Amino acid sequence: MDKQDIATIRKQFKINNDQLKIRDIFNVYILKESSEIYHYQSTPFDLLEEEQKMLFMENFKKVLTGQLDEKLFELKFQQQAENSSQLILHQGLLTDDTEAWKEQMLKLVEKMLKDRQYDMDIVITFIRGEYMKPTKRASEESEESQWDTVYANPFILCSMNKTEEPKKELLFDYVEKAFKYNIVVDPVINLKSPLSGFLFPSITDNAVDVNHVLYASGKKNEPDYHFIENVLNAEEIMTAAQDKLVFEEIVKNAAGEQAITTSTLSNVYDEIHRVTEENDEDETPKLDYKDVEQVLQHSGLEDINTEKVESAFKTVIDDTSYEFKAPNVIPKYSSKSIKIETKLADIAIKPEDLRYVRQVHFDNKRYLMMEVEENTVIEGFEMIPEALFQQAPDNKE
């Protein structure tokens, strides 16, 4: 799945949408003390009150919100996994019997609770439904409806949410004309910030892929590896942050003693950005060790060869066949995504403007120098340019 596929599905989660049909919702309440199921309940989604539907729809959209490889991860199921979650989900997807579906979802809940202690009561919500999309847009002249032929994609979505203590509030009773302390003991289910979740199966270009699942992490670049490996039985992943860190270490290792200037770094980013922009394939462009070698050579680093880059891959990640996702290793070009941090000040610039920044030595001190086209304005005051170098005094008599 790419970001467009995810965005298309996320937009469907609204009530009274003909393209989305949610059949059942299944809520399971888990106690923190014992990590046991306290209560579960299945309901046809259409029987919920409108306010409840809206709350859950917003929750489901939250599960599917975030950047790929940061909060959302398309995972490949492990082959030959014991008590395979892929098989459990697939069986739940295919059955028309509500009790059989609930039974499969409870098997997943058991896996979520095994060897796991939560620090708050949690609610695990499952829905099963179908996302429908017309195969073609009907012309105005045609009598054929756009819904005569559709892509029908059945799915299961899971959302894990924490509970919170109700707020202690002071109320005013208009009838009795008295101030009262509001005592509520029922926990509040926080549907605004899901702890985790997933969508099965993966849907790419209107085609379902039961070999992949879209996993959602609660926090950016902090996936739950226990959940990925032991609950979903999926293969290991690298976050965008990890990808970038590994790439940076490989570049440093391959460059050796060479100083990496802002100009060189800017060239590296520009070269990878060019590769990303010129990519015509549907899949995310990737960089292997040969691509990294070419990027470094074209960026101005000297004495870069295949042997050095392969050695850097082996040293840093111990895998010369590893491929980086190109968008993960460069800053976002659409914003001031490069952060320059110093004790004196923090500066944010766009990657394309990095070439205008220099760190220089002058008079035994380090300076951060930026090339600008106009006078700098600070707190409404326009700064007058100052001479950096002064002419040496004439010692001739």
Side-chain angles (χ1 to χ4, degrees):
M1 297 183 74
D2 60 22
K3 60 182 180 181
Q4 186 59 47
D5 293 317
I6 298 169
T8 300
I9 295 173
R10 184 173 61 243
K11 289 177 184 176
Q12 307 311 317
F13 283 92
K14 50 190 176 184
I15 58 177
N16 303 321
N17 177 17
D18 292 335
Q19 290 183 244
L20 184 74
K21 175 62 177 177
I22 300 177
R23 295 171 58 186
D24 299 290
I25 183 168
F26 184 36
N27 291 304
V28 184
Y29 195 97
I30 309 298
L31 294 175
K32 64 179 180 180
E33 293 89 355
S34 58
S35 290
E36 294 179 351
I37 297 175
Y38 179 72
H39 177 69
Y40 60 79
Q41 178 179 319
S42 176
T43 310
F45 195 77
D46 286 340
L47 295 185
L48 297 181
E49 296 178 0
E50 291 295 293
E51 291 77 7
Q52 285 182 302
K53 289 181 183 178
M54 291 179 65
L55 284 172
F56 278 114
M57 286 295 192
E58 289 300 316
N59 177 253
F60 302 149
K61 284 196 287 188
K62 288 282 187 181
V63 172
L64 299 176
T65 298
Q67 296 294 323
L68 278 168
D69 298 324
E70 291 183 357
K71 286 196 71 176
L72 299 175
F73 303 85
E74 187 176 42
L75 309 177
K76 184 177 181 181
F77 287 109
Q78 299 173 13
Q79 298 301 311
Q80 310 300 326
E82 186 179 348
N83 190 24
S84 169
S85 289
Q86 180 184 15
L87 180 59
I88 293 172
L89 285 164
H90 202 195
Q91 289 176 339
L93 195 70
L94 295 177
T95 184
D96 288 326
D97 182 69
T98 301
E99 291 302 317
W101 177 66
K102 286 165 52 179
E103 182 182 342
Q104 297 302 319
M105 297 306 99
L106 287 173
K107 288 181 182 179
L108 283 175
V109 173
E110 288 179 10
K111 297 181 71 170
M112 294 178 191
L113 301 181
K114 185 179 180 181
D115 303 323
R116 195 63 182 265
Q117 182 72 44
Y118 295 96
D119 55 5
M120 77 288 285
D121 290 359
I122 64 169
V123 174
I124 304 171
T125 300
F126 297 96
I127 58 170
R128 61 170 174 163
E130 197 169 49
Y131 160 55
M132 292 167 287
K133 186 176 181 181
T135 57
K136 61 181 178 180
R137 183 180 297 274
S139 64
E140 295 180 2
E141 297 81 12
S142 174
E143 295 182 0
E144 180 183 4
S145 168
Q146 65 172 341
W147 297 106
D148 286 349
T149 27
V150 298
Y151 293 110
N153 299 314
F155 68 87
I156 292 172
L157 185 142
C158 170
S159 175
M160 296 181 63
N161 302 280
K162 65 182 178 179
T163 61
E164 299 174 346
E165 294 294 326
K167 292 181 180 179
K168 298 176 181 179
E169 298 174 315
L170 186 65
L171 304 180
F172 179 73
D173 190 323
Y174 275 97
V175 177
E176 297 183 11
K177 295 183 179 180
F179 293 96
K180 293 184 177 180
Y181 179 63
N182 184 34
I183 302 176
V184 179
V185 296
D186 297 332
V188 176
I189 302 170
N190 183 355
L191 295 176
K192 295 182 179 180
S193 303
L195 295 173
S196 184
F198 62 82
L199 173 73
F200 173 84
S202 176
I203 303 173
T204 304
D205 293 332
N206 303 308
V208 298
D209 179 3
V210 296
N211 293 314
H212 289 83
V213 58
L214 184 69
Y215 162 74
S217 172
K219 295 182 179 179
K220 183 177 176 180
N221 286 309
E222 293 185 22
D224 185 337
Y225 291 102
H226 179 274
F227 190 92
I228 290 171
E229 182 178 353
N230 298 301
V231 176
L232 293 177
N233 305 133
E235 294 182 355
E236 199 174 321
I237 58 167
M238 290 273 278
T239 67
Q242 290 169 333
D243 232 11
K244 190 172 188 298
L245 182 62
V246 170
F247 176 77
E248 290 169 355
E249 291 302 314
I250 285 176
V251 171
K252 293 174 188 177
N253 192 289
E257 299 297 323
Q258 294 183 68
I260 299 179
T261 64
T262 53
S263 178
T264 302
L265 189 57
S266 177
N267 290 338
V268 170
Y269 290 156
D270 287 346
E271 186 68 19
I272 297 176
H273 180 64
R274 181 187 61 77
V275 171
T276 304
E277 291 294 298
E278 293 178 356
N279 178 62
D280 295 328
E281 300 178 5
D282 293 334
E283 293 186 1
T284 303
K286 296 182 179 180
L287 305 172
D288 60 16
Y289 75 92
K290 293 180 181 178
D291 298 317
V292 173
E293 179 188 351
Q294 291 181 358
V295 166
L296 298 185
Q297 288 175 343
H298 294 165
S299 300
L301 286 172
E302 299 178 354
D303 196 26
I304 297 294
N305 54 47
T306 302
E307 184 180 348
K308 282 189 175 182
V309 177
E310 277 190 323
S311 175
F313 267 74
K314 249 187 172 179
T315 301
V316 176
I317 200 171
D318 195 26
D319 184 4
T320 55
S321 64
Y322 184 77
E323 294 180 320
F324 297 99
K325 291 183 179 179
N328 287 352
V329 300
I330 58 174
K332 291 180 175 60
Y333 266 66
S334 59
S335 62
K336 293 182 178 181
S337 54
I338 292 183
K339 312 299 180 186
I340 302 173
E341 298 178 353
T342 69
K343 289 184 178 180
L344 187 63
D346 294 339
I347 303 170
I349 62 172
K350 292 183 176 181
E352 59 195 24
D353 295 328
L354 183 59
R355 64 184 70 255
Y356 302 117
V357 179
R358 296 283 187 276
Q359 178 175 278
V360 298
H361 280 85
F362 175 67
D363 197 20
N364 294 323
K365 294 180 180 179
R366 278 177 293 194
Y367 292 86
L368 187 66
M369 184 171 69
M370 300 177 63
E371 178 185 337
V372 294
E373 295 180 353
E374 66 286 326
N375 286 343
T376 304
V377 177
I378 301 177
E379 295 292 330
F381 296 94
E382 185 172 347
M383 299 293 102
I384 299 175
E386 302 176 45
L388 180 61
F389 302 101
Q390 296 180 348
Q391 184 176 357
D394 190 354
N395 293 326
K396 292 182 180 180
E397 296 181 359

